[in-house]
Amino acid sequence: MALTYFKRFRMEIDLRVVPGPFPSLPEGFRFRAWSPELLPLHADVKFQSFRMEVDANVFPCLGDPEGCHRLMTEISRREGFLPQATWLVESWDDSDLLWRPVATIQGVRDREGNGSIQNLGVVPEARSAGIGKSVLLRALYGYQEVGIKLVSLEVTAQNTGAIRLYERMGFKIGGTVYKAVELGAIQTLSY
């Protein structure tokens, strides 16, 4: 079995300092607070956000709709799952007069009592509109609501856009980890 390794950064933010103004969204977008009936929408956004990205190689479940549903189910059932840090963003679609999910973030409290962002995904057609920043900020406020002072996440080193966003929001690289992946599991993606 041949392996390859993906470099990932562990990034952290100290929430004793307010990360910015309370988040707002552009006109035509709205936040949806966590509720169990939204789980399929979170899973679909996760799949649409990651299926063509390097993270689908690092975590193959992200490149599969059923895998995203299983992952979302597992996250929501964790003992430390935090609804206050789990959000969906929807966009109004004038063509069929429906709200369409375009971004997701999930948060948990780890064993040490710190926050851990599980995934932040924005579908490709909604990127570069500030949606990622807004949903991240909303989750950080959710962590603050429950008294969490330190929040971390992991990001694949090749995901430079996400790293720039996290750094602009005040996250600092606190360490590097390597994720082993079987070569047969890697998809050919266009970057």
Side-chain angles (χ1 to χ4, degrees):
M1 166 176 70
L3 295 175
T4 190
Y5 294 87
F6 286 91
K7 183 178 183 179
R8 293 176 56 79
F9 297 125
R10 178 178 167 84
M11 300 185 78
E12 300 174 340
I13 187 169
D14 184 341
L15 290 183
R16 289 177 291 192
V17 176
V18 177
F22 196 79
S24 62
L25 291 166
E27 188 173 331
F29 292 87
R30 70 178 183 185
F31 287 111
R32 298 274 312 267
W34 168 258
S35 65
E37 63 270 8
L38 294 178
L39 188 147
L41 298 179
H42 280 272
D44 185 57
V45 170
K46 192 183 299 280
F47 171 68
Q48 296 300 328
S49 299
F50 291 106
R51 67 189 179 111
M52 298 302 290
E53 304 296 330
V54 68
D55 285 328
N57 286 321
V58 181
F59 302 100
C61 65
L62 294 174
D64 174 60
E66 290 177 25
C68 287
H69 193 276
R70 280 191 310 274
L71 178 60
M72 194 62 218
T73 300
E74 289 171 14
I75 291 169
S76 68
R77 290 182 179 165
R78 284 189 181 171
E79 184 178 327
F81 177 69
L82 289 174
Q84 300 89 335
T86 301
W87 292 88
L88 187 72
V89 174
E90 294 178 318
S91 172
W92 181 252
D93 186 338
D94 284 327
S95 66
D96 56 8
L97 305 177
L98 293 172
W99 287 98
R100 301 276 179 209
V102 297
T104 179
I105 192 166
Q106 307 90 53
V108 299
R109 181 188 316 256
D110 65 20
R111 290 185 181 115
E112 290 78 38
N114 297 317
S116 176
I117 294 173
Q118 300 303 287
N119 300 107
L120 187 165
V122 179
V123 298
E125 57 273 16
R127 293 178 186 162
S128 299
I131 304 305
K133 176 182 177 182
S134 292
V135 74
L136 175 59
L137 192 54
R138 186 63 193 94
L140 294 177
Y141 271 94
Y143 284 115
Q144 282 185 324
E145 287 172 24
V146 297
I148 290 177
K149 296 185 178 32
L150 182 68
V151 175
S152 68
L153 56 81
E154 284 187 10
V155 60
T156 304
Q158 291 169 279
N159 193 344
T160 57
I163 293 167
R164 280 193 306 272
L165 168 65
Y166 300 141
E167 288 176 335
R168 282 194 313 267
M169 296 295 294
F171 282 81
K172 306 283 187 229
I173 295 175
T176 303
V177 296
Y178 292 88
K179 170 81 168 123
V181 177
E182 289 184 47
L183 284 176
I186 295 179
Q187 306 172 27
T188 304
L189 304 174
S190 59
Y191 298 106

